[in-house]
Amino acid sequence: RAGEFVIEARGLTAGYGGTPAVHEFDLDVRAGEIVALLGANGAGKSTTLLALAGEVSPIAGTVSFHGDGRRRSLHQRARRGLGFLTEERCVFMQLTGWQNLKLGRGRPEVALEFFPELEEHLTKKVGLLSGGQQQMLALGRVLAGQPRVLLADELSLGLAPLVVERLLAAVRLAADDGVAVVLVEQHVRQALAVADRVQVMRRGRVVMSGEAADLRDDPEGIAAHYISG
Ligand code: ATP
């Protein structure tokens, strides 16, 4: 149903060894929406994503997926439509591109609909591809599984601006197809260009949130929250 929240967090507090790194975090993402999580290193973005993915257990609060807040294994969540792209570029270097795509859920051809430029490289070992091609492959593999929710952690880390644009354009395309996206991103301007909404984190809390369109002309307003610690 249009308009319903695909992923929701309420009062989510999560961290490591009982010490919170994220406090009372709230989030709602509908099908077709991209919410970008911004903030300095250590602000708690990755921890938030891990908690949304179910890899880190909440200390308090809930994460619901299609209105269902029951805890499930990562495997069960994947079956229910959770796509998670972690900060580590998750590809197998010794396998070819095709072999990597076949390890994912869904049809490898779908990955090529997002990244046709990968086709000519799929018979090569992934270790021989550029960082950008590897990341397109990793994102393409997740999107080929036709997730309902995509959680993507710094997918543009260390990549050239043109590649970053390609990756974020594919994320936008997936959202336009109805995926609910939570995007952790270091590139503020590029994140604002594709996101619908933004939440800026500092010290494990959301310190600013708003419509991306309202913030595009004022990225410095966001930068003011990039004080680490
Ligand atoms: P980055 O961009 O550097 O990944 P971030 O905003 O994603 O930053 P987190 O990685 O979520 O921030 O880190 C939030 C806090 O949790 C930091 O103080 C960090 O040191 C701590 N932290 C992260 N991972 C762990 C871990 N595995 N064990 C213990 N503490 C951790």
Side-chain angles (χ1 to χ4, degrees):
R1 277 165 294 163
E4 87 181 22
F5 298 131
V6 182
I7 187 160
E8 288 178 81
R10 288 280 172 272
L12 180 64
T13 296
Y16 307 92
T19 306
V22 173
H23 306 265
E24 292 158 29
F25 180 89
D26 291 318
L27 171 85
D28 308 293
V29 193
R30 292 183 176 84
E33 266 190 328
I34 300 177
V35 175
L37 288 186
L38 306 175
N41 287 340
K45 307 178 301 292
S46 297
T47 305
T48 302
L49 225 53
L50 286 166
L52 293 174
E55 289 209 35
V56 162
S57 301
I59 294 167
T62 55
V63 175
S64 320
F65 195 43
H66 304 296
D68 177 353
R70 273 174 291 177
R71 304 255 316 131
R72 293 176 192 273
S73 68
L74 192 63
H75 174 72
Q76 286 172 322
R77 282 171 185 255
R79 270 214 314 244
R80 290 166 53 81
L82 178 80
F84 186 25
L85 197 68
T86 59
E87 213 171 348
E88 301 85 48
R89 198 166 288 148
C90 201
V91 283
F92 298 93
M93 299 292 178
Q94 299 303 321
L95 301 181
T96 67
W98 266 118
Q99 287 168 327
N100 269 273
L101 289 180
K102 282 188 195 147
L103 286 173
R105 310 173 68 79
R107 291 184 302 116
E109 294 76 13
V110 177
L112 293 177
E113 289 170 17
F114 285 97
F115 299 111
E117 63 263 60
L118 282 181
E119 182 151 22
E120 58 181 301
H121 301 292
L122 287 182
T123 52
K124 296 179 197 162
K125 276 191 183 172
V126 167
L128 298 173
L129 302 183
S130 70
Q133 290 164 336
Q134 290 174 3
Q135 189 64 296
M136 286 185 212
L137 196 66
L139 176 59
R141 188 178 59 191
V142 172
L143 293 177
Q146 298 187 301
R148 307 277 301 277
V149 174
L150 172 67
L151 307 175
D153 199 355
E154 302 208 19
L155 92 176
S156 63
L157 199 67
L159 300 176
L162 276 178
V163 179
V164 176
E165 261 173 47
R166 266 310 277 124
L167 290 162
L168 293 180
V171 170
R172 184 69 255 176
L173 212 59
D176 292 343
D177 274 352
V179 182
V181 180
V182 184
L183 188 70
V184 168
E185 190 44 70
Q186 283 295 342
H187 298 80
V188 173
R189 279 172 196 278
Q190 279 152 310
L192 286 172
V194 295
D196 297 293
R197 287 185 287 125
V198 169
Q199 301 198 351
V200 185
M201 297 185 73
R202 187 181 174 207
R203 293 184 179 171
R205 294 180 193 276
V206 174
V207 290
M208 179 182 184
S209 54
E211 301 285 325
D214 297 339
L215 299 168
R216 268 170 213 148
D217 297 330
D218 182 29
E220 284 72 25
I222 290 178
H225 297 287
Y226 273 64
I227 310 149
S228 24

